[in-house]
Coordinates of all heavy atoms in Angstrom, one line a residue:
M1 N 26.9 -7.9 -25.7 CA 25.5 -8.0 -25.2 C 25.5 -7.6 -23.7 O 24.6 -6.8 -23.2 CB 25.0 -9.4 -25.4 CG 23.5 -9.5 -25.5 SD 22.9 -8.3 -26.7 CE 21.2 -8.2 -26.3
K2 N 26.5 -8.0 -22.9 CA 26.6 -7.7 -21.5 C 26.6 -6.2 -21.2 O 25.9 -5.7 -20.3 CB 27.8 -8.4 -20.9 CG 27.6 -9.7 -20.3 CD 28.0 -9.8 -18.8 CE 27.6 -11.1 -18.2 NZ 28.6 -12.1 -18.2
K3 N 27.3 -5.5 -22.0 CA 27.5 -4.1 -21.9 C 26.1 -3.4 -21.9 O 25.8 -2.4 -21.2 CB 28.3 -3.5 -23.1 CG 29.1 -2.3 -22.7 CD 30.2 -2.1 -23.8 CE 30.8 -0.8 -23.8 NZ 31.6 -0.7 -25.1
W4 N 25.3 -3.9 -22.8 CA 23.9 -3.3 -22.9 C 23.2 -3.4 -21.6 O 22.5 -2.4 -21.2 CB 23.2 -4.1 -24.0 CG 22.0 -3.4 -24.6 CD1 22.1 -2.4 -25.5 CD2 20.7 -3.5 -24.2 NE1 20.8 -2.0 -25.8 CE2 19.9 -2.6 -24.9 CE3 20.0 -4.3 -23.2 CZ2 18.6 -2.5 -24.8 CZ3 18.7 -4.2 -23.1 CH2 17.9 -3.3 -23.9
Y5 N 23.3 -4.5 -20.9 CA 22.6 -4.7 -19.6 C 23.1 -3.7 -18.6 O 22.4 -3.1 -17.8 CB 22.8 -6.1 -19.1 CG 21.9 -7.1 -19.8 CD1 22.4 -8.1 -20.6 CD2 20.5 -7.0 -19.6 CE1 21.5 -8.9 -21.3 CE2 19.6 -7.9 -20.2 CZ 20.1 -8.8 -21.1 OH 19.3 -9.7 -21.7
H6 N 24.4 -3.5 -18.6 CA 25.0 -2.5 -17.7 C 24.5 -1.1 -17.9 O 24.1 -0.4 -17.0 CB 26.6 -2.5 -17.9 CG 27.2 -3.7 -17.2 ND1 27.3 -3.9 -15.9 CD2 27.8 -4.7 -17.8 CE1 27.9 -5.0 -15.6 NE2 28.2 -5.6 -16.8
L7 N 24.4 -0.8 -19.2 CA 23.8 0.6 -19.5 C 22.4 0.7 -19.1 O 22.0 1.7 -18.5 CB 23.9 0.8 -21.0 CG 25.2 1.3 -21.5 CD1 25.2 1.4 -23.1 CD2 25.5 2.7 -20.9
L8 N 21.6 -0.4 -19.3 CA 20.2 -0.4 -18.8 C 20.2 -0.2 -17.3 O 19.4 0.6 -16.8 CB 19.6 -1.7 -19.2 CG 18.1 -1.8 -19.0 CD1 17.4 -0.8 -20.0 CD2 17.6 -3.2 -19.2
F9 N 21.0 -0.9 -16.6 CA 21.1 -0.8 -15.1 C 21.3 0.6 -14.7 O 20.6 1.2 -13.8 CB 22.1 -1.7 -14.6 CG 22.3 -1.7 -13.1 CD1 21.3 -2.2 -12.3 CD2 23.4 -1.1 -12.5 CE1 21.4 -2.2 -10.9 CE2 23.5 -1.0 -11.1 CZ 22.5 -1.6 -10.3
V10 N 22.3 1.2 -15.3 CA 22.7 2.6 -15.0 C 21.5 3.6 -15.3 O 21.2 4.4 -14.5 CB 23.9 3.1 -15.7 CG1 24.1 4.6 -15.6 CG2 25.2 2.3 -15.2
A11 N 20.8 3.3 -16.4 CA 19.7 4.2 -16.7 C 18.6 4.0 -15.7 O 18.0 5.0 -15.3 CB 19.2 3.8 -18.1
I12 N 18.3 2.8 -15.3 CA 17.3 2.6 -14.3 C 17.6 3.3 -13.0 O 16.8 3.9 -12.4 CB 17.0 1.1 -14.1 CG1 16.3 0.5 -15.4 CG2 16.1 0.9 -12.9 CD1 16.2 -1.0 -15.4
C13 N 18.8 3.2 -12.5 CA 19.3 3.8 -11.3 C 19.1 5.3 -11.4 O 18.6 6.0 -10.5 CB 20.8 3.5 -11.0 SG 21.0 1.8 -10.5
A14 N 19.5 5.9 -12.5 CA 19.3 7.3 -12.7 C 17.9 7.7 -12.6 O 17.5 8.7 -12.0 CB 19.9 7.7 -14.1
A15 N 17.0 6.9 -13.2 CA 15.6 7.2 -13.2 C 15.0 7.2 -11.8 O 14.3 8.1 -11.4 CB 14.8 6.2 -14.1
V16 N 15.4 6.2 -11.0 CA 15.0 6.1 -9.6 C 15.4 7.3 -8.8 O 14.7 7.9 -8.1 CB 15.5 4.8 -9.0 CG1 15.3 4.8 -7.5 CG2 14.8 3.6 -9.6
L17 N 16.7 7.7 -9.0 CA 17.2 8.8 -8.2 C 16.5 10.1 -8.6 O 16.1 10.9 -7.7 CB 18.7 9.0 -8.6 CG 19.6 8.0 -7.8 CD1 21.1 8.3 -8.2 CD2 19.5 8.2 -6.3
L18 N 16.2 10.2 -9.9 CA 15.5 11.4 -10.3 C 14.1 11.5 -9.7 O 13.7 12.6 -9.2 CB 15.3 11.4 -11.8 CG 15.7 12.6 -12.5 CD1 16.6 12.3 -13.7 CD2 14.4 13.3 -13.1
V19 N 13.4 10.4 -9.6 CA 12.1 10.4 -9.0 C 12.2 10.7 -7.5 O 11.4 11.5 -7.0 CB 11.4 9.0 -9.1 CG1 10.2 8.8 -8.2 CG2 11.1 8.7 -10.6
L20 N 13.2 10.2 -6.8 CA 13.4 10.4 -5.4 C 13.7 11.9 -5.1 O 13.1 12.5 -4.2 CB 14.5 9.6 -4.8 CG 14.2 8.1 -4.7 CD1 15.4 7.4 -4.1 CD2 13.0 7.9 -3.7
F21 N 14.6 12.5 -5.9 CA 15.0 13.9 -5.7 C 13.9 14.9 -6.1 O 13.9 16.0 -5.6 CB 16.3 14.2 -6.5 CG 17.5 13.7 -5.7 CD1 18.3 12.8 -6.4 CD2 17.7 14.1 -4.4 CE1 19.4 12.3 -5.7 CE2 18.8 13.6 -3.8 CZ 19.7 12.7 -4.4
S22 N 13.0 14.5 -7.0 CA 12.0 15.4 -7.4 C 10.7 15.3 -6.5 O 9.7 15.9 -6.8 CB 11.6 15.3 -8.8 OG 11.2 14.0 -9.1
A23 N 10.8 14.4 -5.5 CA 9.6 14.2 -4.6 C 9.3 15.6 -3.9 O 10.2 16.4 -3.6 CB 9.9 13.2 -3.5
P24 N 8.0 15.8 -3.7 CA 7.6 17.1 -3.1 C 8.1 17.3 -1.7 O 8.3 16.3 -1.0 CB 6.1 17.1 -3.2 CG 5.7 15.7 -3.3 CD 6.8 15.0 -4.0
E25 N 8.2 18.5 -1.2 CA 8.5 18.8 0.2 C 7.5 18.2 1.1 O 6.3 18.0 0.7 CB 8.5 20.3 0.4 CG 9.8 21.0 0.1 CD 10.8 20.8 1.2 OE1 10.6 21.3 2.3 OE2 11.8 20.1 0.9
V26 N 7.9 17.9 2.3 CA 7.0 17.4 3.3 C 5.9 18.4 3.6 O 6.3 19.6 4.0 CB 7.7 17.0 4.6 CG1 6.7 16.5 5.6 CG2 8.7 15.9 4.3
T27 N 4.7 18.1 3.5 CA 3.7 19.1 3.8 C 2.8 18.7 5.1 O 2.1 19.5 5.5 CB 2.7 19.3 2.6 OG1 2.2 18.0 2.2 CG2 3.4 20.0 1.5
T28 N 3.1 17.5 5.6 CA 2.4 17.1 6.8 C 2.8 18.0 7.9 O 4.0 18.3 8.1 CB 2.7 15.6 7.1 OG1 2.4 14.9 5.9 CG2 1.9 15.1 8.2
P29 N 1.8 18.5 8.7 CA 2.2 19.4 9.8 C 3.2 18.7 10.7 O 3.1 17.5 11.1 CB 0.9 19.6 10.6 CG -0.2 19.2 9.6 CD 0.4 18.3 8.6
R30 N 4.3 19.4 11.1 CA 5.3 18.9 12.0 C 4.9 19.0 13.4 O 4.0 19.8 13.8 CB 6.6 19.6 11.7 CG 7.2 19.2 10.4 CD 8.5 20.0 10.1 NE 9.0 19.7 8.8 CZ 9.8 18.7 8.5 NH1 10.3 17.9 9.5 NH2 10.2 18.5 7.3
L31 N 5.5 18.2 14.3 CA 5.2 18.3 15.7 C 5.8 19.6 16.3 O 6.9 20.0 15.9 CB 5.9 17.1 16.4 CG 5.4 15.7 16.0 CD1 6.2 14.6 16.7 CD2 3.9 15.5 16.3
P32 N 5.0 20.3 17.2 CA 5.6 21.4 17.8 C 6.8 21.0 18.6 O 6.9 19.8 19.1 CB 4.5 21.9 18.7 CG 3.2 21.3 18.2 CD 3.7 20.0 17.6
A33 N 7.8 21.8 18.8 CA 9.0 21.5 19.5 C 8.9 21.8 21.0 O 9.6 22.6 21.6 CB 10.2 22.3 18.9
D34 N 7.9 21.2 21.6 CA 7.7 21.4 23.1 C 7.7 20.1 23.8 O 7.9 19.0 23.2 CB 6.3 22.1 23.3 CG 5.1 21.4 22.7 OD1 5.3 20.1 22.5 OD2 4.1 22.0 22.5
A35 N 7.7 20.1 25.1 CA 7.8 18.9 26.0 C 6.7 17.9 25.7 O 7.0 16.7 25.7 CB 7.8 19.3 27.4
T36 N 5.5 18.4 25.4 CA 4.4 17.4 25.2 C 4.7 16.5 24.0 O 4.2 15.4 23.9 CB 3.1 18.2 24.9 OG1 3.1 19.4 25.6 CG2 1.9 17.4 25.1
H37 N 5.4 17.1 23.0 CA 5.6 16.3 21.8 C 7.0 15.8 21.7 O 7.4 15.3 20.6 CB 5.3 17.2 20.6 CG 3.9 17.7 20.5 ND1 3.4 18.8 21.1 CD2 2.8 17.1 20.0 CE1 2.1 18.9 21.0 NE2 1.7 17.9 20.3
A38 N 7.7 15.8 22.8 CA 9.1 15.3 22.8 C 9.2 13.8 22.5 O 10.0 13.3 21.8 CB 9.8 15.6 24.1
D39 N 8.2 13.0 23.1 CA 8.2 11.6 22.9 C 7.3 11.3 21.7 O 6.2 10.9 21.8 CB 7.6 10.9 24.2 CG 7.5 9.3 23.9 OD1 8.2 8.8 23.1 OD2 6.8 8.7 24.7
R40 N 7.9 11.5 20.6 CA 7.0 11.4 19.4 C 6.6 10.0 19.0 O 5.6 9.9 18.2 CB 7.8 12.0 18.2 CG 9.2 11.5 18.0 CD 9.9 12.2 16.9 NE 9.3 11.9 15.6 CZ 9.8 10.9 14.8 NH1 10.9 10.2 15.2 NH2 9.3 10.7 13.6
K41 N 7.2 9.0 19.7 CA 6.7 7.7 19.4 C 5.7 7.2 20.4 O 5.2 6.0 20.3 CB 7.9 6.7 19.3 CG 8.8 7.1 18.1 CD 9.6 5.9 17.7 CE 10.4 6.4 16.4 NZ 11.5 5.4 16.1
G42 N 5.3 8.0 21.3 CA 4.3 7.6 22.3 C 2.9 7.8 21.8 O 2.1 8.5 22.4
Y43 N 2.7 7.2 20.7 CA 1.4 7.5 19.9 C 0.1 7.1 20.7 O -0.9 7.7 20.4 CB 1.4 6.8 18.6 CG 1.6 5.4 18.5 CD1 0.5 4.5 18.6 CD2 2.9 4.8 18.4 CE1 0.7 3.1 18.6 CE2 3.1 3.5 18.4 CZ 2.0 2.6 18.5 OH 2.2 1.3 18.5
P44 N 0.1 6.2 21.7 CA -1.1 6.0 22.4 C -1.6 7.2 23.1 O -2.8 7.3 23.4 CB -0.8 4.8 23.3 CG 0.4 4.1 22.7 CD 1.2 5.3 22.1
A45 N -0.7 8.1 23.4 CA -1.1 9.3 24.2 C -1.7 10.4 23.3 O -2.4 11.3 23.8 CB 0.1 9.8 25.0
C46 N -1.4 10.4 22.1 CA -1.7 11.5 21.2 C -3.2 11.8 21.0 O -3.7 12.9 21.1 CB -1.1 11.3 19.8 SG 0.6 10.7 19.8
P47 N -4.1 10.7 20.8 CA -5.5 11.0 20.6 C -6.2 11.7 21.7 O -7.1 12.4 21.6 CB -6.1 9.6 20.3 CG -4.9 8.8 19.8 CD -3.8 9.3 20.6
G48 N -5.6 11.5 23.0 CA -6.2 12.1 24.1 C -6.3 13.6 24.0 O -7.2 14.2 24.5
C49 N -5.3 14.2 23.3 CA -5.3 15.7 23.2 C -5.8 16.1 21.8 O -5.9 17.3 21.5 CB -3.9 16.2 23.4 SG -3.5 16.3 25.2
H50 N -5.9 15.2 20.9 CA -6.2 15.5 19.5 C -7.5 14.8 19.0 O -7.7 14.6 17.8 CB -5.0 15.2 18.6 CG -3.8 16.1 18.8 ND1 -3.8 17.4 18.4 CD2 -2.7 15.8 19.4 CE1 -2.6 17.9 18.8 NE2 -1.9 17.0 19.4
G51 N -8.4 14.5 19.9 CA -9.7 13.9 19.6 C -10.5 14.9 18.8 O -10.2 16.1 18.7
S52 N -11.7 14.4 18.3 CA -12.5 15.3 17.4 C -13.0 16.5 18.1 O -13.4 17.5 17.5 CB -13.6 14.4 16.8 OG -14.3 13.7 17.8
D53 N -13.1 16.5 19.5 CA -13.6 17.7 20.2 C -12.5 18.5 20.8 O -12.8 19.4 21.5 CB -14.7 17.3 21.2 CG -14.2 16.2 22.2 OD1 -13.0 15.7 22.0 OD2 -14.9 15.8 23.1
A54 N -11.3 18.2 20.4 CA -10.1 18.9 20.9 C -10.0 20.2 20.2 O -10.5 20.4 19.1 CB -8.9 18.1 20.8
E55 N -9.2 21.1 20.8 CA -9.0 22.5 20.2 C -8.2 22.3 18.8 O -8.6 22.9 17.8 CB -8.1 23.3 21.2 CG -7.9 24.7 20.7 CD -6.8 25.3 21.6 OE1 -6.8 25.0 22.8 OE2 -6.0 26.1 21.1
R56 N -7.2 21.4 18.9 CA -6.4 21.1 17.7 C -6.8 19.7 17.3 O -6.0 18.8 17.5 CB -5.0 21.3 17.9 CG -4.1 21.3 16.7 CD -4.4 22.5 15.8 NE -4.1 23.8 16.4 CZ -3.0 24.5 16.3 NH1 -2.1 24.0 15.5 NH2 -2.9 25.6 16.9
A57 N -8.0 19.4 16.7 CA -8.4 18.1 16.4 C -7.7 17.5 15.2 O -7.3 18.2 14.3 CB -9.9 18.1 16.2
M58 N -7.6 16.2 15.2 CA -7.1 15.5 14.1 C -8.2 15.6 12.9 O -9.4 15.7 13.2 CB -7.0 13.9 14.4 CG -6.0 13.6 15.3 SD -6.0 11.8 15.5 CE -7.1 11.6 16.9
P59 N -7.7 15.7 11.7 CA -8.7 15.8 10.6 C -9.5 14.5 10.5 O -9.1 13.5 11.1 CB -7.8 15.8 9.3 CG -6.4 16.2 9.8 CD -6.3 15.7 11.2
E60 N -10.7 14.6 9.9 CA -11.7 13.5 9.8 C -11.0 12.2 9.3 O -11.3 11.1 9.7 CB -12.8 13.9 8.8 CG -13.6 15.1 9.2 CD -14.8 14.7 10.0 OE1 -15.7 14.2 9.4 OE2 -14.8 14.8 11.3
D61 N -10.1 12.3 8.3 CA -9.5 11.1 7.7 C -8.6 10.3 8.6 O -8.2 9.3 8.3 CB -8.8 11.5 6.4 CG -7.5 12.2 6.7 OD1 -7.3 12.7 7.8 OD2 -6.7 12.4 5.7
H62 N -8.4 10.9 9.8 CA -7.6 10.1 10.8 C -8.5 9.2 11.6 O -8.0 8.3 12.3 CB -6.9 11.1 11.8 CG -5.7 11.8 11.2 ND1 -5.7 12.3 10.0 CD2 -4.6 12.2 11.8 CE1 -4.5 12.9 9.8 NE2 -3.8 12.9 10.9
L63 N -9.8 9.4 11.5 CA -10.7 8.6 12.4 C -11.7 7.7 11.7 O -12.0 8.0 10.5 CB -11.5 9.6 13.3 CG -10.7 10.6 14.2 CD1 -11.6 11.7 14.7 CD2 -10.0 9.8 15.3
L64 N -12.1 6.6 12.3 CA -13.1 5.8 11.8 C -14.5 6.4 12.2 O -14.5 7.3 13.0 CB -13.1 4.4 12.4 CG -11.8 3.6 12.2 CD1 -11.8 2.3 13.0 CD2 -11.6 3.3 10.7
S65 N -15.6 6.0 11.6 CA -16.9 6.5 11.9 C -17.2 6.3 13.4 O -18.0 7.0 14.0 CB -17.9 5.9 11.0 OG -17.9 4.5 11.1
T66 N -16.6 5.3 14.0 CA -16.8 5.0 15.4 C -16.2 6.0 16.4 O -16.4 6.0 17.5 CB -16.3 3.6 15.8 OG1 -14.9 3.6 15.5 CG2 -17.0 2.5 15.1
G67 N -15.3 6.8 15.8 CA -14.6 7.8 16.6 C -13.2 7.4 17.0 O -12.4 8.2 17.5
S68 N -12.9 6.1 16.8 CA -11.5 5.6 17.2 C -10.6 5.9 16.0 O -11.0 6.1 14.9 CB -11.5 4.2 17.6 OG -12.2 3.4 16.7
V69 N -9.3 5.9 16.3 CA -8.3 6.3 15.3 C -8.2 5.2 14.2 O -8.2 4.0 14.6 CB -6.9 6.5 16.0 CG1 -5.8 6.8 14.9 CG2 -6.9 7.5 17.0
A70 N -8.2 5.6 13.0 CA -8.1 4.6 11.9 C -6.8 3.8 11.9 O -5.8 4.4 12.3 CB -8.3 5.3 10.6
P71 N -6.8 2.5 11.6 CA -5.6 1.7 11.7 C -4.5 2.3 11.0 O -3.3 2.2 11.4 CB -6.0 0.4 11.1 CG -7.5 0.3 11.3 CD -8.0 1.7 11.2
N72 N -4.7 2.9 9.8 CA -3.6 3.5 9.0 C -3.2 4.8 9.5 O -2.3 5.5 8.9 CB -4.0 3.5 7.6 CG -5.2 4.4 7.3 OD1 -5.9 4.8 8.2 ND2 -5.4 4.8 6.1
H73 N -3.7 5.3 10.6 CA -3.3 6.6 11.2 C -2.9 6.4 12.7 O -2.7 7.4 13.4 CB -4.4 7.6 11.1 CG -4.4 8.3 9.8 ND1 -5.1 7.7 8.7 CD2 -3.9 9.4 9.3 CE1 -4.9 8.5 7.6 NE2 -4.2 9.5 8.0
L74 N -2.8 5.1 13.1 CA -2.5 4.9 14.5 C -1.1 5.4 14.9 O -0.9 6.0 15.9 CB -2.5 3.4 14.8 CG -3.7 2.8 15.4 CD1 -3.5 1.3 15.7 CD2 -4.1 3.5 16.7
K75 N -0.1 5.1 14.1 CA 1.3 5.5 14.4 C 1.6 6.9 13.8 O 2.2 7.1 12.7 CB 2.2 4.5 13.9 CG 2.0 3.1 14.5 CD 3.1 2.1 14.3 CE 2.8 0.9 15.2 NZ 3.7 -0.2 15.0
C76 N 1.3 7.9 14.6 CA 1.4 9.3 14.2 C 2.7 9.6 13.7 O 2.9 10.4 12.7 CB 1.1 10.2 15.4 SG -0.3 9.6 16.5
Y77 N 3.8 9.1 14.3 CA 5.1 9.5 14.0 C 5.6 9.1 12.6 O 6.6 9.5 12.1 CB 6.1 9.0 15.0 CG 6.2 7.5 15.2 CD1 7.1 6.8 14.4 CD2 5.4 6.8 16.1 CE1 7.2 5.4 14.5 CE2 5.5 5.4 16.2 CZ 6.4 4.7 15.4 OH 6.4 3.4 15.5
F78 N 4.8 8.1 12.0 CA 5.1 7.8 10.6 C 5.0 9.0 9.7 O 5.8 9.2 8.7 CB 4.2 6.7 10.1 CG 4.5 5.3 10.4 CD1 5.6 5.0 11.3 CD2 3.9 4.3 9.8 CE1 5.9 3.7 11.6 CE2 4.2 2.9 10.1 CZ 5.2 2.7 11.0
C79 N 4.1 9.9 10.0 CA 3.9 11.0 9.1 C 4.3 12.3 9.8 O 4.8 13.2 9.1 CB 2.4 11.1 8.7 SG 1.8 9.6 7.9
H80 N 4.0 12.5 11.1 CA 4.3 13.8 11.7 C 5.7 13.7 12.3 O 6.0 13.1 13.3 CB 3.3 14.0 12.9 CG 1.9 14.2 12.3 ND1 1.5 15.4 11.7 CD2 0.8 13.4 12.3 CE1 0.2 15.3 11.3 NE2 -0.2 14.1 11.6
K81 N 6.5 14.5 11.6 CA 8.0 14.5 11.9 C 8.3 15.6 12.9 O 7.5 16.6 12.9 CB 8.8 14.6 10.6 CG 8.5 13.6 9.6 CD 9.0 12.2 10.1 CE 8.7 11.1 9.0 NZ 8.9 9.8 9.6
P82 N 9.4 15.6 13.6 CA 9.8 16.7 14.4 C 10.2 17.9 13.5 O 10.2 17.8 12.3 CB 11.0 16.2 15.1 CG 11.4 15.0 14.5 CD 10.3 14.5 13.7
Q83 N 10.4 19.1 14.1 CA 10.6 20.3 13.4 C 11.6 20.2 12.3 O 11.4 20.6 11.2 CB 10.9 21.5 14.3 CG 9.7 21.9 15.1 CD 8.5 22.4 14.3 OE1 8.7 23.1 13.3 NE2 7.3 22.0 14.6
E84 N 12.8 19.8 12.7 CA 13.9 19.7 11.7 C 14.3 18.2 11.5 O 14.6 17.5 12.5 CB 15.1 20.6 12.1 CG 16.0 20.1 13.2 CD 15.3 19.8 14.5 OE1 14.5 20.6 15.0 OE2 15.5 18.7 15.0
D85 N 14.1 17.7 10.3 CA 14.5 16.3 10.0 C 14.6 16.1 8.5 O 13.8 16.5 7.8 CB 13.3 15.4 10.6 CG 13.8 14.0 10.7 OD1 15.0 13.8 11.0 OD2 13.0 13.1 10.6
Ligands
HEC101 C1 -1.2 17.3 26.5 C2 -1.9 17.4 25.2 C3 -1.2 17.0 23.9 C4 -0.6 15.7 23.7 C5 -0.5 14.5 24.6 C6 -0.2 15.8 22.3 N1 -0.5 17.0 21.8 FE1 -0.2 17.5 19.8 N2 -0.7 19.4 20.3 C7 -1.3 19.9 21.4 C8 -1.6 21.3 21.3 C9 -2.3 22.1 22.4 C10 -1.2 21.7 20.0 C11 -1.3 23.1 19.4 C12 -0.4 24.1 20.1 C13 0.9 24.1 19.5 O1 1.0 24.2 18.2 O2 1.9 24.1 20.2 C14 -0.6 20.5 19.4 C15 -0.1 20.5 18.1 C16 0.2 19.4 17.4 C17 0.5 19.3 16.0 C18 0.7 20.5 15.1 C19 -0.5 20.9 14.5 C20 -0.3 22.1 13.5 O3 -1.2 22.8 13.3 O4 0.9 22.3 13.1 C21 0.7 18.0 15.7 C22 1.1 17.4 14.3 C23 0.5 17.2 16.9 N3 0.2 18.1 17.9 C24 0.6 15.9 16.9 C25 0.7 15.2 18.1 C26 1.2 13.8 18.3 C27 1.6 12.9 17.1 C28 1.1 13.5 19.6 C29 1.6 12.2 20.3 C30 3.1 11.9 20.2 C31 0.6 14.6 20.3 N4 0.4 15.6 19.4 C32 0.4 14.7 21.7 C33 -1.6 19.0 22.5 C34 -1.1 17.7 22.7
HEC102 C1 -0.7 8.6 7.1 C2 -0.1 9.8 7.6 C3 -0.6 10.4 8.9 C4 -0.7 9.7 10.1 C5 -0.3 8.3 10.4 C6 -1.2 10.7 11.1 N1 -1.4 11.9 10.4 FE1 -2.1 13.6 11.3 N2 -2.1 14.5 9.5 C7 -1.6 14.0 8.3 C8 -1.7 15.0 7.3 C9 -1.3 14.8 5.8 C10 -2.3 16.1 7.9 C11 -2.7 17.5 7.2 C12 -3.7 17.4 6.2 C13 -5.1 17.4 6.7 O1 -5.4 18.4 7.5 O2 -5.9 16.5 6.5 C14 -2.5 15.8 9.3 C15 -3.1 16.7 10.2 C16 -3.1 16.5 11.6 C17 -3.5 17.4 12.6 C18 -4.1 18.8 12.3 C19 -3.0 19.8 12.3 C20 -3.6 21.2 12.1 O3 -3.0 22.0 11.6 O4 -4.8 21.4 12.5 C21 -3.4 16.8 13.8 C22 -3.7 17.4 15.2 C23 -2.9 15.5 13.6 N3 -2.7 15.3 12.2 C24 -2.6 14.6 14.6 C25 -2.3 13.2 14.3 C26 -2.3 12.2 15.4 C27 -2.5 12.5 16.9 C28 -2.0 11.1 14.8 C29 -1.9 9.7 15.4 C30 -3.0 9.2 16.2 C31 -1.8 11.3 13.4 N4 -2.0 12.6 13.1 C32 -1.4 10.4 12.4 C33 -1.1 12.7 8.2 C34 -1.0 11.7 9.1

C-alpha cells in the first residue's frame, strides 16, 4: 500500500514541474537598462515619470479612478523585471 503513495507523490511532482516549465514567457515590459531604472526597487519614484500624462504612461489598469497607483500595482518591480533575468 505504501508504494502506491510513493508513486502518487512522484506523479504529482511531475505534474507540478510540467506546469511550471510550460508557463508562458514573460511578456510584461522590462525595465530599460539605463541609470534611471537602475534602482528598480525604488518604486515610490516611478509614478512621477509614468503618470497618466507622461510620455510613457502606465496603462489604465495600474491606476485607481482617483489617479493614484492601485494598491496591487504599487510595487512595480514585482512585475517589471530588468532586461536579463
Ligand atoms: C526620470 C524619469 C523616470 C523614472 C524615475 C522612471 N522612469 Fe521608467 N521610463 C522613463 C522613460 C522616459 C522611458 C521610455 C524611454 C526608454 O525606453 O528608455 C521609461 C521606460 C520604462 C519602461 C519600459 C516601457 C516599455 O515600453 O518597454 C518601464 C517598464 C518603466 N519605465 C518602468 C519604470 C519603473 C518601474 C520605475 C521605478 C523604478 C521607473 N520606470 C522610473 C522615465 C522614467
Ligand atoms: C501586477 C503586475 C504589474 C505591476 C505591479 C506594475 N505593472 Fe506596469 N505593466 C504590467 C503589464 C502586464 C504591462 C503591459 C500590459 C499593458 O500595457 O497593460 C505594464 C505596462 C507598463 C507600462 C507601459 C509600457 C509601455 O510599453 O508603454 C509602464 C510605463 C508601466 N507598466 C509602469 C509601471 C510602474 C511605474 C509601476 C509601479 C508604480 C508598474 N508598472 C507596476 C504589469 C505591472
Side-chain angles (χ1 to χ4, degrees):
M1 207 51 200
K2 266 239 171 90
K3 209 164 163 192
W4 198 82
Y5 281 113
H6 284 291
L7 276 175
L8 187 68
F9 178 71
V10 169
I12 289 171
C13 288
V16 168
L17 283 179
L18 228 127
V19 168
L20 287 179
F21 281 120
S22 58
E25 272 286 292
V26 177
T27 50
T28 306
R30 289 180 184 267
L31 298 173
D34 57 19
T36 328
H37 298 90
D39 178 21
R40 49 186 289 268
K41 296 204 173 165
Y43 58 88
C46 316
C49 285
H50 292 287
S52 47
D53 51 358
E55 185 191 325
R56 192 65 61 98
M58 291 181 268
E60 297 269 286
D61 70 346
H62 285 37
L63 300 168
L64 299 174
S65 53
T66 58
S68 46
V69 180
N72 61 346
H73 279 83
L74 261 185
K75 298 195 172 173
C76 319
Y77 63 89
F78 275 11
C79 302
H80 294 284
K81 303 293 180 189
Q83 288 300 318
E84 77 305 307
D85 200 32

